[in-house]
Amino acid sequence: MSAQMKDKDAYQRLNFLYQAAHCVLSQNPENVELARFYCSTQKTIARRLVLRQDPSVKRTLCRKCCSLLVPGVTASCRQRRRSRNARFTVVRCLSCEHSKTLLNHPDHQLWTERPEAQQERPKQPDPGSSVKKTPREKKCDASASRKATPDQSAGAT
Amino acid sequence: MEDSLIRVGIPRDLVKVLGVEGDSKAGAFTRAFLNSHMRQDSRLDPRTLLTHKAVILDFCRPKKDKSKRKSKRAKGLNARQKRAMKVFHLKPEHQRYELFLPLHELWRQYVIDLCNGLTPTCSPQFVQQKLLKADFHGAILTVVRSKCPSYVGATGILVQEFKHIFKIITKEDKLKVIPKRNSVFAVEINGFVSHIYGSKFEHRASERSAKKFKARGTIDL
């Protein structure tokens, strides 16, 4: 219990830095440098304290230059096809030209969404009810919850 | 070119007639969007096309080596590339005080949330413990004491924190760089004033949450 309380401050700090980057970028869309500074600070803290961040958060940060990826402002978002039945979302950072490719598949599940990842509460496995992850950007005012417990569809049978 | 047509500003005498605001939030976003998306390919630039270049006569292109797959994972930039890109350099036109007021509001909520309520019954030691590991980006700092007398009295919103310096933005829209060594800062939250001794704070912003503070020596100012 004490270990969980010890990390609470760090998680709050990560959350604040993430929101601060969004806040700065919404005030002035060309102030990429400051948002990048906050995000790189966030990344360094998470690395020093070995904290796991949710994939939805990590998908909005550029891996190369640590800038915040907001589609249309600092990143371009495109749908590409590699093969006949696989489509990808390609998010490209406009400042360093690095792109990340995310698979669009309705049945694709990340590890954090799997029922066996939730150790806190024992869940009955319900196959076929997977939440489709869309890498859509949340607005600045929606505070991103930093805990690794994404909201599952609880009403599924 | 079409670019020049797009970026032409509306003449002064037409602004009042058309009722267009000159400096709105949507306008700023549109400008940023156009700037980032209208980048031309450097190969199609007419000036570079017209320069005299040696043509390499080669009967076929060398085959791409497929054995060497580039790893998908992005490597971070090294220090030289960061310096060339000016990763954390703030442009002077972005240094306006009123742009950072929302950041300060966000910071206040964060600190009050961190100290879970921050009622007057909170023990000062508990709050100080929390503030040691907290983030100070967006706080309003005041230099209370310093070895250099010209720093005393500088007030502003902290924008960036580095290992040895604080960068603050004052109300006169000036970016001030204040070294941490040999100066004392005051942070005010809801009537609770906390002093930060800069000589003890000489860590990076990210390392402060991981490192332990050692009580060593005294501060003589």
Side-chain angles (χ1 to χ4, degrees), chain B residues 36-47:
Chain B
S36 52
H37 284 264
M38 305 247 315
R39 227 175 271 161
Q40 272 204 331
D41 195 358
S42 57
R43 286 174 300 179
L44 297 178
D45 194 33
R47 272 174 232 150

Side-chain angles (χ1 to χ4, degrees), chain A residues 54-121:
Chain A
D54 201 67
S56 62
V57 172
K58 288 192 286 187
R59 283 176 170 193
T60 56
L61 304 179
C62 174
R63 265 173 155 170
K64 191 174 173 184
C65 66
C66 299
S67 61
L68 193 70
L69 301 177
V70 181
V73 182
T74 57
S76 66
C77 213
R78 298 286 180 270
Q79 299 290 325
R80 294 266 152 78
R81 280 177 90 158
R82 287 274 171 83
S83 65
R84 275 187 70 251
N85 46 9
R87 284 180 181 80
F88 293 92
T89 308
V90 179
V91 183
R92 189 146 145 270
C93 174
L94 289 176
S95 53
C96 67
E97 310 281 311
H98 185 76
S99 59
K100 47 175 54 185
T101 315
L102 307 169
L103 177 70
N104 284 347
H105 191 64
D107 295 335
H108 183 247
Q109 267 190 325
L110 291 172
W111 164 250
T112 47
E113 297 174 328
R114 297 248 179 93
E116 59 259 37
Q118 267 80 46
Q119 296 157 358
E120 299 91 21
R121 40 186 187 174

Side-chain angles (χ1 to χ4, degrees), chain B residues 104 107 128 131 136 138-146 151-158 166 168 178 180 183-198 201 221:
Chain B
H104 176 62
W107 181 81
Q128 301 262 12
L131 279 181
F136 283 107
I140 289 189
L141 288 181
T142 314
V143 184
V144 185
R145 289 193 295 252
S146 175
Y151 285 129
V152 177
T155 311
I157 297 181
L158 174 66
F166 281 131
I168 64 173
I178 295 177
K180 295 180 186 180
S183 50
V184 184
F185 302 91
V187 184
E188 193 268 333
I189 324 135
N190 276 15
F192 186 94
V193 180
S194 173
H195 285 244
I196 298 171
Y197 289 89
F201 247 61
L221 275 175

Side-chain angles (χ1 to χ4, degrees), chain A:
Chain A
M1 193 65 199
S2 62
Q4 198 198 0
M5 291 307 291
K6 190 171 176 291
D7 278 353
K8 198 187 156 197
D9 300 350
Y11 273 119
Q12 271 174 328
R13 187 173 176 184
L14 293 180
N15 192 8
F16 164 74
L17 280 167
Y18 189 68
Q19 287 180 37
H22 271 289
C23 171
V24 165
L25 211 62
S26 71
Q27 284 302 308
N28 188 353
E30 292 183 27
N31 203 348
V32 188
E33 290 85 5
L34 200 56
R36 190 185 286 150
F37 177 77
Y38 291 155
C39 287
S40 67
T41 307
Q42 173 194 336
K43 199 173 171 180
T44 322
I45 292 172
R47 200 169 53 208
R48 282 297 303 270
L49 295 173
V50 202
L51 301 174
R52 307 261 185 278
Q53 297 201 349
D54 201 67
S56 62
V57 172
K58 288 192 286 187
R59 283 176 170 193
T60 56
L61 304 179
C62 174
R63 265 173 155 170
K64 191 174 173 184
C65 66
C66 299
S67 61
L68 193 70
L69 301 177
V70 181
V73 182
T74 57
S76 66
C77 213
R78 298 286 180 270
Q79 299 290 325
R80 294 266 152 78
R81 280 177 90 158
R82 287 274 171 83
S83 65
R84 275 187 70 251
N85 46 9
R87 284 180 181 80
F88 293 92
T89 308
V90 179
V91 183
R92 189 146 145 270
C93 174
L94 289 176
S95 53
C96 67
E97 310 281 311
H98 185 76
S99 59
K100 47 175 54 185
T101 315
L102 307 169
L103 177 70
N104 284 347
H105 191 64
D107 295 335
H108 183 247
Q109 267 190 325
L110 291 172
W111 164 250
T112 47
E113 297 174 328
R114 297 248 179 93
E116 59 259 37
Q118 267 80 46
Q119 296 157 358
E120 299 91 21
R121 40 186 187 174
K123 285 179 59 103
Q124 60 271 25
D126 41 356
S129 76
S130 66
V131 188
K132 188 190 175 185
K133 285 285 269 195
T134 49
R136 283 282 159 264
E137 186 56 45
K138 287 188 287 275
K139 280 281 137 198
C140 173
D141 50 2
S143 64
S145 86
R146 184 72 53 183
K147 298 280 179 290
T149 52
D151 295 333
Q152 295 258 334
S153 54
T157 53

Side-chain angles (χ1 to χ4, degrees), chain B residues 108-162:
Chain B
R108 283 190 46 172
Q109 288 166 19
Y110 155 73
V111 170
I112 288 167
D113 189 36
L114 189 75
C115 309
N116 40 37
L118 202 74
T119 47
T121 56
C122 274
S123 72
Q125 261 148 13
F126 168 76
V127 179
Q128 301 262 12
Q129 280 287 338
K130 291 274 186 193
L131 279 181
L132 270 185
K133 308 273 183 201
D135 202 281
F136 283 107
H137 289 130
I140 289 189
L141 288 181
T142 314
V143 184
V144 185
R145 289 193 295 252
S146 175
K147 276 209 174 174
C148 173
S150 60
Y151 285 129
V152 177
T155 311
I157 297 181
L158 174 66
V159 183
Q160 279 177 306
E161 178 184 348
F162 294 97

